[in-house]
Amino acid sequence: MTKDADIESLRLAARALLARPLLSSGGPDAAIAAAVRRQHRDRLQQWFEHNLGWKLVVDRDVIRLNKVPAGTPCLPHDAPEQRVCVLYCLVLAALEDGGDQVVITEIADAVTALSGVRAEIATFDPADFAERRRLVQALRLLVDHGVLLPTRDRASTEQDEAEYLSGAGNAIYDVDHRVAALVLACPVAPTRAGTPTGLIAEPHPDTPVGHNRRRRHLIMRRLVDEPVLYLDELTEDERDYFRSQRHALLHEVKELLGVQVEVREEGAAIVDDELTDLRFPAETTRPYAALLLAGALTAEPGARLGSSVVVPEIRMRELAVWLAERVGERVTTIEKKPVTPSTALDAALVVLTAFRLVERTTDGVRLLPALGRFRPPAEPPEFAGPATSRNGTPA
């Protein structure tokens, strides 16, 4: 293999692990997993550990990058609802002492028993439709993650799961115990963590080396794992480190991942069309609504001042009416609900919040600096919404 081909193979493996931190030899990324084992294990282990503090486990059949978040608040798009996550973990616990095959009803019985012995966990009720639906959601996640393998084709298994919801079906799965053992990745074992925050507690030595390591890991995690790294969300000490080490940090990211990094006064962001789990703009209704709202918000008085501007709630309600009219010209439903000012605004804000373009506050919506990327060149009237005075009230 030539040097260029080796670098491209390494880059492809690193990008794959960031997007899909668990690769199996029998999955769609089998070729990448093989390349990691054969060529890139040491280099990737060193890079992830040094720059991000993430351990890369390379097993014969499974490769697991133990990603730990930077500690920023979880957004609604980041995970399923809480109950689904609880059931996901209970299923993993139930599978630990089980055999190589299992059916849904066996899983449901085991989850019922496990949930019943912890006072802080609501006991699973297999007779409740909503509970069965959430269990199926958890099972489908486990199938996506390679823990459960349908013994039939995926469509047939999903049909069995649908029948289980109605009280009749009983899908059967093979269990990959090695993948199951590597799914949960946290520095502190759940039995010792005490709280969700405790799961990601990472002590660093109280030395200059330890302080630098902590700052580098936090900054690099935000850079590679979040839409935008905003400097005003860092401590003064962390900002100083970023400014002094910026060129070295960005060089590491650009060299290994083959991405462009846009740096502005307010912060930095990786710009890449493929290294993302969220796409915006996109040709679906919710991103379309978000793009309309983004343009309208950039036309608000003071919007060019960036994160110092909060669009008040009364103004957001006015924009919601305008947004619903615009979206309603193309579709009648959004997220399976009729297009109304409320549903259109909520759908758009989910996208804009996920991309760290805005954030909700108690009295409105705060505009974040990256929103400026979506300012229409001439700010045409279609983005302006209803006319306002300088204080945000109707003119």
Short mmCIF file of all heavy atoms in Angstrom, two decimals, residues 302-367:
data_model
loop_
_atom_site.label_atom_id
_atom_site.label_comp_id
_atom_site.label_asym_id
_atom_site.label_seq_id
_atom_site.Cartn_x
_atom_site.Cartn_y
_atom_site.Cartn_z
N GLY A 302 -30.76 43.82 15.59
CA GLY A 302 -29.66 43.46 16.48
C GLY A 302 -29.10 42.08 16.26
O GLY A 302 -28.19 41.67 16.98
N ALA A 303 -29.62 41.34 15.27
CA ALA A 303 -29.18 39.96 15.08
C ALA A 303 -27.69 39.86 14.78
O ALA A 303 -27.04 38.88 15.13
CB ALA A 303 -29.97 39.29 13.96
N ARG A 304 -27.13 40.88 14.15
CA ARG A 304 -25.71 40.83 13.80
C ARG A 304 -24.81 40.92 15.03
O ARG A 304 -23.61 40.68 14.95
CB ARG A 304 -25.36 41.96 12.83
CG ARG A 304 -26.01 41.79 11.47
CD ARG A 304 -25.64 42.90 10.51
NE ARG A 304 -26.36 42.78 9.26
CZ ARG A 304 -25.95 42.05 8.22
NH1 ARG A 304 -24.83 41.36 8.33
NH2 ARG A 304 -26.65 42.00 7.12
N LEU A 305 -25.42 41.23 16.18
CA LEU A 305 -24.64 41.28 17.42
C LEU A 305 -24.41 39.88 17.99
O LEU A 305 -23.69 39.71 18.96
CB LEU A 305 -25.33 42.17 18.46
CG LEU A 305 -25.52 43.63 18.05
CD1 LEU A 305 -26.29 44.37 19.14
CD2 LEU A 305 -24.18 44.29 17.79
N GLY A 306 -25.10 38.88 17.40
CA GLY A 306 -24.85 37.49 17.80
C GLY A 306 -25.49 37.12 19.12
O GLY A 306 -26.66 37.39 19.36
N SER A 307 -24.67 36.53 20.01
CA SER A 307 -25.23 35.87 21.19
C SER A 307 -25.75 36.83 22.25
O SER A 307 -26.23 36.39 23.28
CB SER A 307 -24.16 34.96 21.81
OG SER A 307 -23.01 35.70 22.12
N SER A 308 -25.63 38.13 22.03
CA SER A 308 -26.17 39.08 23.01
C SER A 308 -27.65 39.34 22.78
O SER A 308 -28.28 40.04 23.56
CB SER A 308 -25.40 40.40 22.95
OG SER A 308 -25.56 41.00 21.66
N VAL A 309 -28.22 38.79 21.72
CA VAL A 309 -29.60 39.10 21.34
C VAL A 309 -30.54 37.96 21.72
O VAL A 309 -30.29 36.80 21.40
CB VAL A 309 -29.70 39.37 19.83
CG1 VAL A 309 -31.15 39.54 19.40
CG2 VAL A 309 -28.88 40.60 19.47
N VAL A 310 -31.63 38.32 22.39
CA VAL A 310 -32.71 37.37 22.67
C VAL A 310 -33.96 37.89 21.98
O VAL A 310 -34.39 39.01 22.22
CB VAL A 310 -32.97 37.22 24.18
CG1 VAL A 310 -34.20 36.37 24.42
CG2 VAL A 310 -31.76 36.62 24.88
N VAL A 311 -34.52 37.08 21.10
CA VAL A 311 -35.78 37.44 20.45
C VAL A 311 -36.90 37.09 21.43
O VAL A 311 -37.05 35.93 21.81
CB VAL A 311 -35.96 36.66 19.12
CG1 VAL A 311 -37.29 37.04 18.46
CG2 VAL A 311 -34.79 36.95 18.18
N PRO A 312 -37.69 38.07 21.87
CA PRO A 312 -38.67 37.83 22.92
C PRO A 312 -39.78 36.89 22.48
O PRO A 312 -40.05 36.72 21.28
CB PRO A 312 -39.21 39.23 23.25
CG PRO A 312 -38.91 40.05 22.05
CD PRO A 312 -37.66 39.49 21.45
N GLU A 313 -40.43 36.29 23.46
CA GLU A 313 -41.45 35.30 23.20
C GLU A 313 -42.59 35.85 22.35
O GLU A 313 -43.11 35.17 21.46
CB GLU A 313 -42.01 34.77 24.54
CG GLU A 313 -42.88 33.54 24.43
CD GLU A 313 -42.11 32.33 23.94
OE1 GLU A 313 -40.94 32.16 24.33
OE2 GLU A 313 -42.68 31.55 23.14
N ILE A 314 -42.99 37.08 22.61
CA ILE A 314 -44.09 37.66 21.83
C ILE A 314 -43.72 37.76 20.36
O ILE A 314 -44.55 37.53 19.47
CB ILE A 314 -44.49 39.05 22.40
CG1 ILE A 314 -45.75 39.56 21.70
CG2 ILE A 314 -43.34 40.05 22.27
CD1 ILE A 314 -46.33 40.81 22.35
N ARG A 315 -42.47 38.08 20.07
CA ARG A 315 -42.01 38.15 18.68
C ARG A 315 -41.93 36.75 18.07
O ARG A 315 -42.26 36.56 16.89
CB ARG A 315 -40.65 38.84 18.63
CG ARG A 315 -40.01 38.86 17.25
CD ARG A 315 -40.88 39.56 16.24
NE ARG A 315 -40.21 39.67 14.95
CZ ARG A 315 -40.84 39.85 13.80
NH1 ARG A 315 -42.16 39.95 13.78
NH2 ARG A 315 -40.17 39.95 12.67
N MET A 316 -41.52 35.76 18.85
CA MET A 316 -41.45 34.40 18.34
C MET A 316 -42.84 33.90 17.96
O MET A 316 -43.02 33.16 16.98
CB MET A 316 -40.82 33.47 19.37
CG MET A 316 -39.34 33.72 19.64
SD MET A 316 -38.29 33.71 18.14
CE MET A 316 -38.61 32.05 17.52
N ARG A 317 -43.86 34.31 18.70
CA ARG A 317 -45.23 33.91 18.35
C ARG A 317 -45.66 34.53 17.02
O ARG A 317 -46.36 33.90 16.23
CB ARG A 317 -46.20 34.29 19.47
CG ARG A 317 -46.06 33.43 20.73
CD ARG A 317 -47.28 33.55 21.63
NE ARG A 317 -47.39 34.87 22.23
CZ ARG A 317 -46.87 35.20 23.40
NH1 ARG A 317 -46.18 34.31 24.10
NH2 ARG A 317 -47.03 36.41 23.89
N GLU A 318 -45.24 35.78 16.78
CA GLU A 318 -45.53 36.41 15.49
C GLU A 318 -44.83 35.67 14.35
O GLU A 318 -45.43 35.40 13.30
CB GLU A 318 -45.08 37.86 15.52
CG GLU A 318 -45.84 38.73 16.49
CD GLU A 318 -45.18 40.09 16.67
OE1 GLU A 318 -44.09 40.32 16.11
OE2 GLU A 318 -45.76 40.92 17.40
N LEU A 319 -43.57 35.34 14.56
CA LEU A 319 -42.83 34.61 13.54
C LEU A 319 -43.42 33.21 13.32
O LEU A 319 -43.38 32.69 12.21
CB LEU A 319 -41.35 34.49 13.94
CG LEU A 319 -40.53 35.78 13.86
CD1 LEU A 319 -39.14 35.55 14.43
CD2 LEU A 319 -40.44 36.28 12.43
N ALA A 320 -43.98 32.63 14.37
CA ALA A 320 -44.58 31.30 14.25
C ALA A 320 -45.78 31.33 13.30
O ALA A 320 -45.98 30.40 12.51
CB ALA A 320 -45.01 30.79 15.62
N VAL A 321 -46.57 32.39 13.37
CA VAL A 321 -47.71 32.52 12.46
C VAL A 321 -47.22 32.62 11.02
O VAL A 321 -47.73 31.94 10.12
CB VAL A 321 -48.56 33.76 12.84
CG1 VAL A 321 -49.65 33.99 11.81
CG2 VAL A 321 -49.16 33.59 14.23
N TRP A 322 -46.22 33.48 10.81
CA TRP A 322 -45.64 33.62 9.46
C TRP A 322 -45.05 32.30 8.99
O TRP A 322 -45.23 31.89 7.84
CB TRP A 322 -44.58 34.72 9.51
CG TRP A 322 -43.69 34.75 8.31
CD1 TRP A 322 -43.95 35.33 7.11
CD2 TRP A 322 -42.39 34.16 8.20
NE1 TRP A 322 -42.89 35.15 6.25
CE2 TRP A 322 -41.92 34.43 6.90
CE3 TRP A 322 -41.58 33.45 9.08
CZ2 TRP A 322 -40.66 34.00 6.46
CZ3 TRP A 322 -40.34 33.02 8.65
CH2 TRP A 322 -39.89 33.30 7.35
N LEU A 323 -44.34 31.60 9.86
CA LEU A 323 -43.69 30.34 9.50
C LEU A 323 -44.72 29.29 9.11
O LEU A 323 -44.55 28.57 8.12
CB LEU A 323 -42.84 29.85 10.67
CG LEU A 323 -42.05 28.56 10.45
CD1 LEU A 323 -41.01 28.76 9.36
CD2 LEU A 323 -41.38 28.13 11.77
N ALA A 324 -45.81 29.20 9.87
CA ALA A 324 -46.85 28.21 9.56
C ALA A 324 -47.47 28.48 8.20
O ALA A 324 -47.79 27.56 7.45
CB ALA A 324 -47.91 28.22 10.66
N GLU A 325 -47.65 29.75 7.88
CA GLU A 325 -48.22 30.11 6.56
C GLU A 325 -47.27 29.66 5.45
O GLU A 325 -47.72 29.10 4.44
CB GLU A 325 -48.45 31.62 6.49
CG GLU A 325 -49.58 32.10 7.40
CD GLU A 325 -49.69 33.61 7.41
OE1 GLU A 325 -48.79 34.28 6.82
OE2 GLU A 325 -50.65 34.14 8.00
N ARG A 326 -45.98 29.90 5.62
CA ARG A 326 -45.01 29.53 4.59
C ARG A 326 -44.90 28.01 4.44
O ARG A 326 -44.90 27.47 3.33
CB ARG A 326 -43.63 30.11 4.92
CG ARG A 326 -43.56 31.62 4.82
CD ARG A 326 -43.81 32.11 3.39
NE ARG A 326 -43.04 31.33 2.43
CZ ARG A 326 -41.76 31.53 2.14
NH1 ARG A 326 -41.10 32.49 2.76
NH2 ARG A 326 -41.16 30.79 1.24
N VAL A 327 -44.81 27.30 5.56
CA VAL A 327 -44.71 25.84 5.51
C VAL A 327 -46.00 25.24 4.97
O VAL A 327 -45.99 24.28 4.19
CB VAL A 327 -44.39 25.27 6.91
CG1 VAL A 327 -44.45 23.75 6.90
CG2 VAL A 327 -43.01 25.73 7.38
N GLY A 328 -47.13 25.84 5.36
CA GLY A 328 -48.42 25.35 4.91
C GLY A 328 -48.64 25.47 3.42
O GLY A 328 -49.55 24.82 2.87
N GLU A 329 -47.85 26.30 2.75
CA GLU A 329 -47.94 26.40 1.29
C GLU A 329 -47.42 25.14 0.60
O GLU A 329 -47.74 24.88 -0.55
CB GLU A 329 -47.14 27.61 0.80
CG GLU A 329 -47.73 28.95 1.25
CD GLU A 329 -46.81 30.12 0.92
OE1 GLU A 329 -45.70 29.85 0.37
OE2 GLU A 329 -47.15 31.27 1.23
N ARG A 330 -46.61 24.35 1.32
CA ARG A 330 -45.99 23.16 0.73
C ARG A 330 -46.57 21.86 1.27
O ARG A 330 -46.69 20.88 0.55
CB ARG A 330 -44.48 23.17 1.00
CG ARG A 330 -43.75 24.27 0.25
CD ARG A 330 -42.25 24.19 0.45
NE ARG A 330 -41.71 22.86 0.21
CZ ARG A 330 -40.41 22.60 0.09
NH1 ARG A 330 -39.54 23.58 0.20
NH2 ARG A 330 -40.01 21.37 -0.13
N VAL A 331 -46.89 21.83 2.56
CA VAL A 331 -47.36 20.58 3.19
C VAL A 331 -48.49 20.91 4.16
O VAL A 331 -48.70 22.06 4.54
CB VAL A 331 -46.22 19.87 3.95
CG1 VAL A 331 -45.11 19.41 3.02
CG2 VAL A 331 -45.66 20.78 5.04
N THR A 332 -49.23 19.87 4.54
CA THR A 332 -50.31 20.05 5.52
C THR A 332 -49.94 19.53 6.90
O THR A 332 -50.62 19.84 7.88
CB THR A 332 -51.59 19.34 5.05
OG1 THR A 332 -51.31 17.94 4.86
CG2 THR A 332 -52.09 19.95 3.73
N THR A 333 -48.88 18.71 6.96
CA THR A 333 -48.46 18.17 8.26
C THR A 333 -46.96 18.36 8.44
O THR A 333 -46.20 18.44 7.47
CB THR A 333 -48.78 16.67 8.39
OG1 THR A 333 -48.05 15.94 7.39
CG2 THR A 333 -50.28 16.42 8.22
N ILE A 334 -46.55 18.41 9.70
CA ILE A 334 -45.14 18.48 10.04
C ILE A 334 -44.93 17.59 11.26
O ILE A 334 -45.64 17.72 12.26
CB ILE A 334 -44.69 19.93 10.29
CG1 ILE A 334 -43.18 20.01 10.47
CG2 ILE A 334 -45.41 20.56 11.47
CD1 ILE A 334 -42.63 21.43 10.40
N GLU A 335 -43.99 16.64 11.16
CA GLU A 335 -43.78 15.66 12.22
C GLU A 335 -45.09 14.94 12.56
O GLU A 335 -45.40 14.71 13.72
CB GLU A 335 -43.21 16.33 13.47
CG GLU A 335 -41.85 16.95 13.25
CD GLU A 335 -40.78 15.94 12.91
OE1 GLU A 335 -40.39 15.17 13.79
OE2 GLU A 335 -40.33 15.92 11.75
N LYS A 336 -45.86 14.62 11.51
CA LYS A 336 -47.12 13.87 11.62
C LYS A 336 -48.21 14.64 12.37
O LYS A 336 -49.19 14.05 12.82
CB LYS A 336 -46.89 12.51 12.30
CG LYS A 336 -45.93 11.60 11.53
CD LYS A 336 -45.75 10.27 12.24
CE LYS A 336 -44.79 9.37 11.47
NZ LYS A 336 -44.59 8.06 12.13
N LYS A 337 -48.05 15.96 12.47
CA LYS A 337 -49.05 16.79 13.11
C LYS A 337 -49.48 17.88 12.14
O LYS A 337 -48.69 18.28 11.28
CB LYS A 337 -48.49 17.44 14.39
CG LYS A 337 -48.04 16.45 15.45
CD LYS A 337 -47.40 17.18 16.62
CE LYS A 337 -46.90 16.20 17.67
NZ LYS A 337 -46.21 16.90 18.78
N PRO A 338 -50.73 18.37 12.24
CA PRO A 338 -51.16 19.46 11.36
C PRO A 338 -50.24 20.67 11.51
O PRO A 338 -49.74 20.97 12.60
CB PRO A 338 -52.58 19.78 11.86
CG PRO A 338 -53.03 18.53 12.55
CD PRO A 338 -51.81 17.93 13.15
N VAL A 339 -49.98 21.36 10.41
CA VAL A 339 -49.14 22.56 10.46
C VAL A 339 -49.91 23.68 11.14
O VAL A 339 -50.93 24.15 10.64
CB VAL A 339 -48.72 22.99 9.03
CG1 VAL A 339 -47.98 24.33 9.09
CG2 VAL A 339 -47.84 21.93 8.39
N THR A 340 -49.43 24.09 12.29
CA THR A 340 -49.96 25.22 13.04
C THR A 340 -48.78 26.08 13.45
O THR A 340 -47.62 25.65 13.37
CB THR A 340 -50.72 24.76 14.30
OG1 THR A 340 -49.77 24.16 15.21
CG2 THR A 340 -51.81 23.74 13.96
N PRO A 341 -49.02 27.30 13.90
CA PRO A 341 -47.89 28.11 14.39
C PRO A 341 -47.06 27.39 15.44
O PRO A 341 -45.84 27.45 15.44
CB PRO A 341 -48.57 29.36 14.95
CG PRO A 341 -49.80 29.50 14.10
CD PRO A 341 -50.27 28.10 13.86
N SER A 342 -47.73 26.68 16.34
CA SER A 342 -47.02 25.98 17.41
C SER A 342 -46.18 24.83 16.89
O SER A 342 -45.00 24.69 17.23
CB SER A 342 -48.02 25.48 18.46
OG SER A 342 -47.35 24.74 19.46
N THR A 343 -46.77 23.97 16.05
CA THR A 343 -46.03 22.80 15.57
C THR A 343 -44.91 23.19 14.63
O THR A 343 -43.82 22.60 14.66
CB THR A 343 -46.97 21.81 14.85
OG1 THR A 343 -47.62 22.47 13.74
CG2 THR A 343 -48.03 21.27 15.80
N ALA A 344 -45.13 24.21 13.80
CA ALA A 344 -44.08 24.65 12.88
C ALA A 344 -42.90 25.25 13.64
O ALA A 344 -41.73 24.96 13.35
CB ALA A 344 -44.64 25.67 11.89
N LEU A 345 -43.21 26.08 14.63
CA LEU A 345 -42.14 26.71 15.41
C LEU A 345 -41.36 25.67 16.21
O LEU A 345 -40.12 25.68 16.24
CB LEU A 345 -42.72 27.77 16.34
CG LEU A 345 -41.70 28.53 17.19
CD1 LEU A 345 -40.76 29.33 16.30
CD2 LEU A 345 -42.40 29.43 18.20
N ASP A 346 -42.07 24.76 16.87
CA ASP A 346 -41.39 23.73 17.67
C ASP A 346 -40.48 22.88 16.80
O ASP A 346 -39.35 22.57 17.18
CB ASP A 346 -42.42 22.85 18.38
CG ASP A 346 -43.08 23.56 19.55
OD1 ASP A 346 -42.57 24.62 19.97
OD2 ASP A 346 -44.12 23.07 20.04
N ALA A 347 -40.97 22.47 15.62
CA ALA A 347 -40.17 21.62 14.73
C ALA A 347 -38.92 22.36 14.27
O ALA A 347 -37.83 21.79 14.21
CB ALA A 347 -41.01 21.18 13.54
N ALA A 348 -39.07 23.62 13.92
CA ALA A 348 -37.92 24.40 13.45
C ALA A 348 -36.90 24.61 14.57
O ALA A 348 -35.69 24.50 14.35
CB ALA A 348 -38.39 25.74 12.91
N LEU A 349 -37.38 24.89 15.76
CA LEU A 349 -36.46 25.14 16.87
C LEU A 349 -35.70 23.89 17.29
O LEU A 349 -34.56 23.99 17.78
CB LEU A 349 -37.22 25.74 18.06
CG LEU A 349 -37.65 27.20 17.90
CD1 LEU A 349 -38.44 27.66 19.12
CD2 LEU A 349 -36.44 28.11 17.69
N VAL A 350 -36.29 22.72 17.13
CA VAL A 350 -35.57 21.47 17.42
C VAL A 350 -34.31 21.40 16.57
O VAL A 350 -33.22 21.07 17.06
CB VAL A 350 -36.47 20.24 17.18
CG1 VAL A 350 -35.64 18.97 17.13
CG2 VAL A 350 -37.51 20.13 18.28
N VAL A 351 -34.44 21.71 15.28
CA VAL A 351 -33.29 21.65 14.37
C VAL A 351 -32.28 22.73 14.70
O VAL A 351 -31.07 22.47 14.82
CB VAL A 351 -33.75 21.79 12.91
CG1 VAL A 351 -32.55 21.84 11.96
CG2 VAL A 351 -34.68 20.63 12.53
N LEU A 352 -32.73 23.95 14.87
CA LEU A 352 -31.80 25.05 15.13
C LEU A 352 -31.08 24.89 16.46
O LEU A 352 -29.90 25.25 16.59
CB LEU A 352 -32.55 26.38 15.09
CG LEU A 352 -33.21 26.75 13.75
CD1 LEU A 352 -33.83 28.14 13.82
CD2 LEU A 352 -32.21 26.68 12.60
N THR A 353 -31.77 24.32 17.44
CA THR A 353 -31.13 24.06 18.73
C THR A 353 -30.10 22.95 18.62
O THR A 353 -29.01 23.03 19.20
CB THR A 353 -32.19 23.70 19.79
OG1 THR A 353 -33.14 24.76 19.90
CG2 THR A 353 -31.55 23.47 21.15
N ALA A 354 -30.44 21.90 17.87
CA ALA A 354 -29.52 20.78 17.70
C ALA A 354 -28.22 21.23 17.05
O ALA A 354 -27.14 20.72 17.39
CB ALA A 354 -30.17 19.69 16.86
N PHE A 355 -28.28 22.20 16.16
CA PHE A 355 -27.10 22.69 15.47
C PHE A 355 -26.42 23.84 16.21
O PHE A 355 -25.48 24.44 15.69
CB PHE A 355 -27.46 23.14 14.05
CG PHE A 355 -27.53 22.00 13.08
CD1 PHE A 355 -28.74 21.36 12.83
CD2 PHE A 355 -26.40 21.55 12.43
CE1 PHE A 355 -28.81 20.29 11.95
CE2 PHE A 355 -26.46 20.49 11.54
CZ PHE A 355 -27.66 19.85 11.30
N ARG A 356 -26.87 24.12 17.42
CA ARG A 356 -26.29 25.19 18.23
C ARG A 356 -26.34 26.54 17.51
O ARG A 356 -25.42 27.34 17.56
CB ARG A 356 -24.85 24.88 18.64
CG ARG A 356 -24.62 23.61 19.40
CD ARG A 356 -25.35 23.50 20.75
NE ARG A 356 -25.36 24.73 21.51
CZ ARG A 356 -24.32 25.19 22.23
NH1 ARG A 356 -23.19 24.53 22.25
NH2 ARG A 356 -24.43 26.29 22.93
N LEU A 357 -27.45 26.78 16.80
CA LEU A 357 -27.66 28.05 16.13
C LEU A 357 -28.48 28.99 17.01
O LEU A 357 -28.35 30.22 16.90
CB LEU A 357 -28.35 27.85 14.79
CG LEU A 357 -27.62 26.93 13.80
CD1 LEU A 357 -28.44 26.75 12.53
CD2 LEU A 357 -26.24 27.48 13.48
N VAL A 358 -29.34 28.42 17.85
CA VAL A 358 -30.11 29.19 18.81
C VAL A 358 -30.22 28.36 20.09
O VAL A 358 -29.92 27.17 20.10
CB VAL A 358 -31.54 29.52 18.30
CG1 VAL A 358 -31.50 30.23 16.95
CG2 VAL A 358 -32.40 28.25 18.21
N GLU A 359 -30.67 29.01 21.13
CA GLU A 359 -31.03 28.26 22.34
C GLU A 359 -32.22 28.93 22.99
O GLU A 359 -32.36 30.16 22.97
CB GLU A 359 -29.85 28.15 23.30
CG GLU A 359 -29.38 29.44 23.91
CD GLU A 359 -28.20 29.25 24.84
OE1 GLU A 359 -27.59 28.16 24.82
OE2 GLU A 359 -27.89 30.18 25.59
N ARG A 360 -33.09 28.11 23.53
CA ARG A 360 -34.28 28.65 24.19
C ARG A 360 -33.91 29.21 25.55
O ARG A 360 -33.07 28.66 26.25
CB ARG A 360 -35.34 27.57 24.33
CG ARG A 360 -35.86 27.05 22.99
CD ARG A 360 -37.12 26.24 23.19
NE ARG A 360 -37.56 25.61 21.95
CZ ARG A 360 -38.80 25.25 21.71
NH1 ARG A 360 -39.72 25.42 22.62
NH2 ARG A 360 -39.13 24.70 20.56
N THR A 361 -34.58 30.29 25.91
CA THR A 361 -34.41 30.88 27.24
C THR A 361 -35.79 31.00 27.86
O THR A 361 -36.81 30.69 27.23
CB THR A 361 -33.75 32.28 27.15
OG1 THR A 361 -34.66 33.18 26.51
CG2 THR A 361 -32.45 32.22 26.35
N THR A 362 -35.84 31.46 29.10
CA THR A 362 -37.13 31.59 29.78
C THR A 362 -38.00 32.66 29.16
O THR A 362 -39.23 32.63 29.30
CB THR A 362 -36.92 31.92 31.27
OG1 THR A 362 -36.11 33.11 31.37
CG2 THR A 362 -36.21 30.77 31.98
N ASP A 363 -37.39 33.62 28.44
CA ASP A 363 -38.18 34.73 27.89
C ASP A 363 -38.11 34.84 26.37
O ASP A 363 -38.49 35.86 25.80
CB ASP A 363 -37.74 36.06 28.51
CG ASP A 363 -36.24 36.29 28.39
OD1 ASP A 363 -35.54 35.37 27.93
OD2 ASP A 363 -35.78 37.39 28.74
N GLY A 364 -37.61 33.80 25.70
CA GLY A 364 -37.57 33.86 24.24
C GLY A 364 -36.54 32.90 23.67
O GLY A 364 -36.34 31.81 24.19
N VAL A 365 -35.88 33.33 22.60
CA VAL A 365 -34.88 32.51 21.92
C VAL A 365 -33.62 33.34 21.74
O VAL A 365 -33.65 34.44 21.17
CB VAL A 365 -35.40 32.04 20.54
CG1 VAL A 365 -34.28 31.38 19.75
CG2 VAL A 365 -36.56 31.07 20.72
N ARG A 366 -32.50 32.83 22.24
CA ARG A 366 -31.22 33.53 22.11
C ARG A 366 -30.55 33.12 20.82
O ARG A 366 -30.46 31.93 20.49
CB ARG A 366 -30.31 33.21 23.30
CG ARG A 366 -29.02 34.02 23.28
CD ARG A 366 -28.35 34.02 24.65
NE ARG A 366 -27.58 32.82 24.88
CZ ARG A 366 -26.25 32.74 24.78
NH1 ARG A 366 -25.56 33.82 24.42
NH2 ARG A 366 -25.61 31.64 25.04
N LEU A 367 -30.07 34.10 20.06
CA LEU A 367 -29.40 33.84 18.80
C LEU A 367 -27.92 33.60 19.06
O LEU A 367 -27.26 34.39 19.74
CB LEU A 367 -29.57 35.03 17.85
CG LEU A 367 -31.00 35.54 17.66
CD1 LEU A 367 -31.02 36.62 16.57
CD2 LEU A 367 -31.95 34.40 17.31
#
